[in-house]
Amino acid sequence: MAASASAALVFLSQESGAGAGGVVGLRAPAPVTVDSFFFSCELSGHTSSFTFKVEEEDDAEHVLALTMLYLTEGAKDECNEVEIVAQNHDHQEIAVPVANLKLSCQPILSLDDFQLQPPVTFRLKSGSGPVRITSWHQIVTVSNDAFEEEEGGEEAKEAELCPILPAKKQRGRS
């Protein structure tokens, strides 16, 4: 869950002063919400692939954090190779094997929140499964509406302030 918290961090923006380099003002970050939903799918001889997608119009950031792959009831003692098809940093589709499960020697694999950006396809490349994949679907949303209202309020407050008037001249004392 620490990885999800770091994905949702929003840092304060600071404006430096022209004089001594001090901080003139701080702007509060826009409200951020992080929702997590349990996600699971099963790959077998009947269903050898599954694609996890999100709506493209959605402005939220989606992360699929894989937690575990394991063989379920009815699995044979054979190699079950699972691969993930996703996009790399250049937006090219790549296939990467992530697990080779066998009932007699490695029936379960913990991935410790291995994070992927949807769309992601899981494939049972070899074996008949069934292999269960568990993960968390994390949705990070930044609420710009509340942030814009807050900025508008600050501008209105600044406009209401009285201008600085010059000091009154005092008559000299003798």
Side-chain angles (χ1 to χ4, degrees):
M1 212 55 175
S4 67
S6 66
L9 284 179
V10 176
F11 295 98
L12 296 174
S13 68
Q14 299 178 349
E15 300 173 6
S16 61
V23 175
V24 171
L26 294 176
R27 178 176 292 162
V32 175
T33 58
V34 179
D35 295 315
S36 294
F37 302 96
F38 184 73
F39 167 78
S40 178
C41 68
E42 188 170 277
L43 305 177
S44 66
H46 302 292
T47 309
S48 62
S49 71
F50 180 85
T51 301
F52 179 84
K53 296 186 236 178
V54 295
E55 301 221 6
E56 291 182 22
E57 303 101 34
D58 193 357
D59 288 338
E61 171 137 357
H62 295 266
V63 175
L64 191 63
L66 299 180
T67 54
M68 206 175 306
L69 285 90
Y70 58 94
L71 295 170
T72 61
E73 187 176 339
K76 299 175 187 171
D77 194 29
E78 63 185 0
C79 289
N80 291 276
E81 184 181 355
V82 178
E83 74 177 1
I84 295 174
V85 181
Q87 293 182 352
N88 66 6
H89 65 282
D90 290 331
H91 301 289
Q92 297 173 338
E93 195 172 272
I94 59 169
V96 178
V98 291
N100 192 351
L101 303 174
K102 189 172 181 180
L103 198 56
S104 62
C105 63
Q106 185 172 1
I108 190 168
L109 176 66
S110 175
L111 292 175
D112 195 29
D113 291 334
F114 180 68
Q115 296 185 0
L116 299 164
Q117 297 252 286
V120 177
T121 300
F122 302 100
R123 283 190 202 150
L124 185 58
K125 188 156 176 145
S126 67
S128 58
V131 176
R132 172 75 56 182
I133 300 169
T134 61
S135 63
W136 289 101
H137 175 202
Q138 299 166 343
I139 304 170
V140 179
T141 308
V142 178
S143 176
N144 290 327
D145 296 337
F147 184 63
E148 289 171 2
E149 286 176 13
E150 186 176 301
E151 278 186 344
E154 288 176 15
E155 290 172 4
K157 286 178 189 175
E158 289 176 11
E160 291 175 8
L161 293 177
C162 296
I164 298 174
L165 301 174
K168 294 182 181 179
K169 293 183 182 177
Q170 295 182 356
R171 294 187 183 169
R173 295 181 190 170
S174 352

